[in-house]
Amino acid sequence: MIGAAVLCGFLLDLLLGDPEWMPHPVVCMGKAITALEKRLRKAFPATPEGERAAGAVLAALLPLGTLLLSGGLCWLCWLIHPLLGFALQSFWCWQALAMRCLIKESRNVCRCLTSQGLPAARKAVARIVGRDTEQLTEEGVTRAAVETVAENFSDGELAPLLYMLIGGAPLALTYKAVNTTDSMVGYKNERYLHFGRAAAKLDDAANYLPARLAALLWIVTCPLAGGSAKGAWRVWRRDRRNHASPNSAQTESACAGSLGVQLAGPASYFGKRVEKPSIGDPLRDIQPRDILRANRIMAAASVVGLALGLGARWAVLLLL
């Protein structure tokens, strides 16, 4: 049943994306994180040690609560009727994936760059990146969008897909809880340097294998969308560690090599310039159409990843 629910969820995301009117579990997770942070900061001393302890409780509590709640509801629905259990699994698998939404938002950046001007493009890319966008050049906007497509292929598509293939929608939502907690508190600024440490470390661990599988899938499938597998392999092997995160440069390096462009480099976050090493070689100037090329590679890699994952799952079930 899980394999069929994963396939159904994947197709629903591909066809419908993330309708704005539909309640999303990540929104609920965000509200829970905000509420828990306030309570935990009051419950623990305002010292580095106290903040680290409070952050560790948050990093453990939300994923565990998500697993128990979603798993319990899936089990209850299955007891009521297997079709109801299948429907809930499919629905949550759909919500755990983000390919259609990412393609839509990044395409909007490309459209703004080519027809609406730089100010509109800066606003569009601000919807999908965490860096400051007010001063970005056209090249900077394009680079930010391409990097986001590459990075989110791992944590917005392949990682939840991998976890749902292993443990169904509850495990995929648990991963989303880990990822959402890190995205909200896993910063190295004054407020979250200590409080967000556990969330950041847990997210690094949860993404370690998916990020590397995503990079390899990108390398293998990029020729299907006009990319260079040779370039992707070469740059990935050389630059996959050119990032403070152990995971982010995995797919970014494969993407840069497949397109023949240079990504990353210095960026501004919350008004502070952060020096980051470059990824890839500037064989040519990056262009808005590279956003569309990255989208095509991501889509091809997602389909191939789904096929391989379902094949592996069904092969294991047959052996058992």
Side-chain angles (χ1 to χ4, degrees):
M1 184 192 77
I2 289 179
V6 171
L7 178 59
C8 187
F10 185 91
L11 293 175
L12 285 170
D13 175 61
L14 192 63
L15 294 172
L16 302 175
D18 182 20
E20 293 184 3
W21 55 265
M22 185 172 65
H24 200 284
V26 169
V27 176
C28 299
M29 292 173 190
K31 292 179 180 179
I33 291 166
T34 300
L36 284 169
E37 180 185 350
K38 291 180 181 179
R39 287 171 171 76
L40 289 169
R41 285 187 180 275
K42 291 179 180 179
F44 286 82
T47 62
E49 294 78 12
E51 289 187 5
R52 285 197 291 270
V57 172
L58 174 62
L61 196 58
L62 188 70
L64 286 174
T66 300
L67 180 63
L68 291 173
L69 179 61
S70 59
L73 286 173
C74 285
W75 177 73
L76 180 61
C77 288
W78 174 262
L79 289 180
I80 295 172
H81 197 283
L83 285 178
L84 183 60
F86 173 77
L88 184 60
Q89 284 266 1
S90 299
F91 179 69
W92 276 342
C93 285
W94 168 24
Q95 292 194 306
L97 298 170
M99 183 171 68
R100 176 66 181 267
C101 183
L102 182 58
I103 290 175
K104 176 184 175 182
E105 294 292 343
S106 57
R107 271 183 162 179
N108 186 44
V109 176
C110 182
R111 183 168 53 253
C112 289
L113 284 169
T114 55
S115 63
Q116 298 183 28
L118 185 56
R122 287 170 175 163
K123 291 180 180 179
V125 81
R127 292 170 55 90
I128 56 174
V129 302
R131 71 190 68 181
D132 300 335
T133 63
E134 295 84 0
Q135 304 301 319
L136 288 179
T137 62
E138 179 176 318
E139 181 179 317
V141 169
T142 306
R143 184 181 295 113
V146 171
E147 289 171 13
T148 297
V149 170
E151 185 176 352
N152 280 277
F153 167 56
S154 174
D155 57 24
E157 182 69 13
L158 191 77
L161 186 61
L162 176 64
Y163 284 112
M164 69 179 66
L165 283 165
I166 295 171
L171 193 58
L173 290 178
T174 301
Y175 166 77
K176 297 297 287 187
V178 171
N179 192 243
T180 304
T181 306
D182 174 63
S183 70
M184 291 185 66
V185 306
Y187 297 103
K188 292 183 179 180
N189 55 24
E190 184 177 353
R191 179 175 176 83
Y192 291 117
L193 179 62
H194 299 290
F195 186 87
R197 181 175 298 182
K201 294 294 184 183
L202 184 58
D203 185 71
D204 285 345
N207 279 297
Y208 189 87
L209 180 60
R212 284 146 185 82
L213 290 175
L216 293 175
L217 272 172
W218 192 287
I219 293 167
V220 170
T221 58
C222 69
L224 298 175
S228 169
K230 182 178 179 180
W233 173 256
R234 177 179 57 82
V235 174
W236 175 71
R237 292 196 64 189
R238 188 191 70 195
D239 294 348
R240 66 185 185 273
R241 298 185 181 90
N242 284 4
H243 201 285
S245 164
N247 302 318
S248 293
Q250 298 290 327
T251 47
E252 285 187 31
S253 59
C255 178
S258 69
L259 299 177
V261 299
Q262 191 171 70
L263 300 177
S268 177
Y269 296 87
F270 305 106
K272 182 179 179 181
R273 180 181 171 88
V274 178
E275 298 295 332
K276 300 192 296 182
S278 297
I279 296 172
D281 299 313
L283 302 180
R284 61 178 180 82
D285 293 335
I286 195 167
Q287 300 173 357
R289 64 185 176 87
D290 288 314
I291 300 172
L292 305 181
R293 294 178 68 196
N295 278 334
R296 289 194 293 269
I297 297 173
M298 176 183 65
S302 297
V303 171
V304 171
L306 173 68
L308 291 175
L310 288 175
R313 179 179 177 83
W314 287 331
V316 169
L317 292 176
L318 287 174
L319 290 174
L320 295 176

